[in-house]
């Protein structure tokens, strides 16, 4: 059975709906844990999410994949300047509801359905400002969705065979590569080595080869069948040295590399 979630994302709704994801920091700016950010790791593929922004539920989403570590999306721009640059990205396939549902207009009818703890709404029907992703029960989800319509077939199928993880990773790699290309503090040869390392090639591959002799999972030793895979993902590395470090790599067969990446 799916679980049900509610996201309050006024500042980032346009970017997250358009990109089919949710993104949050991993902790509060103070360093404290947040249940609303921890929930990003609790959501499972197939769970359903209500999107609340501008005082209304405007979209319903289906979680398409597990959350993974990702940099704050470039498209957020100046939004969340105090947020950390690293966080959780949860792939969600969204579809619009019509008409939007305003909880404030039905506050008396849904007040008893709100969670006793970590509620996304106040009893008045207004959104709780500090809440991001909150778990709700099916009754509250139904109380909202029975007042509107959406394409349930598209929602059910959307992201069912998701490539969102691969697409998202590629976009993050692209953003980092653009920054490297523009970095005039790097020599041309160093810049080329770092970019080749993105695909497990060049200096990085040679550095991994010097340490690893076989696929850690299958034991295969034929170099033609092995990939140099980053342990800490290429786009998450903080320095050029990290991206080229052989100790930050494993030799893996393509299938093992794919599983390890996930």
């Amino acid at each position: 059975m799916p679980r049900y979630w509610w996201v309050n994302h006024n500042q980032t709704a346009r970017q997250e709906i358009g990109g089919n994801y949710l993104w949050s920091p991993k902790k509060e700016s103070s360093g404290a844990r947040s249940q609303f950010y921890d929930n990003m790791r609790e959501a499972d593929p197939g769970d359903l999410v209500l999107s609340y922004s501008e005082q209304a539920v405007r979209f319903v989403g289906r979680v398409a994949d597990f959350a993974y570590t990702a940099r704050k999306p470039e498209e957020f721009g100046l939004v969340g300047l105090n947020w950390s640059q690293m966080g959780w990205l949860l792939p969600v396939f969204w579809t619009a509801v019509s008409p939007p549902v305003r909880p404030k207009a039905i506050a008396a009818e849904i007040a008893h359905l709100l969670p006793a703890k970590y509620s996304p709404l106040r009893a008045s029907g207004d959104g709780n400002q500090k809440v991001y992703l909150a778990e709700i029960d099916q009754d509250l989800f139904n109380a909202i969705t029975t007042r509107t319509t959406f394409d349930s077939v598209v929602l059910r199928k959307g992201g069912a065979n998701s490539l969102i993880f691969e697409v998202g990773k590629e976009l993050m790699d692209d953003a980092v590569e653009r920054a490297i290309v523009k970095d005039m503090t790097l020599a041309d040869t160093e810049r080329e080595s770092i970019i080749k390392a993105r695909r497990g090639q060049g200096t990085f591959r040679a550095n991994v080869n010097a340490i690893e002799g076989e696929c850690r999972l299958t034991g295969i030793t034929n170099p033609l069948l092995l990939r140099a895979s980053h342990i800490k993902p290429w786009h998450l590395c903080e320095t050029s040295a990290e991206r080229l470090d052989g100790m930050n790599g494993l030799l893996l067969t393509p299938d093992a590399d794919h599983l390890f990446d996930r």
Side-chain angles (χ1 to χ4, degrees), residues 196-261:
K196 281 185 176 180
R198 172 182 175 179
R199 305 293 183 189
Q201 299 172 353
T203 302
F204 173 68
R205 171 72 187 230
N207 291 343
V208 175
N209 282 341
I211 300 167
E212 299 284 305
E214 61 184 31
C215 171
R216 289 290 189 98
L217 185 63
T218 66
I220 287 175
T221 59
N222 185 340
L224 297 178
L225 302 177
L226 298 175
R227 292 179 178 175
S229 178
H230 282 87
I231 298 171
K232 184 176 181 179
W234 183 86
H235 66 270
L236 297 181
C237 292
E238 299 295 332
T239 64
S240 302
E242 231 182 354
R243 292 190 173 97
L244 298 175
D245 189 354
M247 294 296 288
N248 186 30
L250 296 172
L251 287 180
L252 299 171
T253 55
D255 54 342
D257 176 53
H258 177 75
L259 292 170
F260 183 70
D261 222 19

Side-chain angles (χ1 to χ4, degrees), residues 130-145:
K130 287 201 72 175
V131 174
Y132 183 62
L133 186 65
E135 186 169 10
I136 60 173
D137 63 25
Q138 187 174 2
D139 289 339
L140 178 55
F141 181 88
N142 290 341
I144 298 294
T145 56

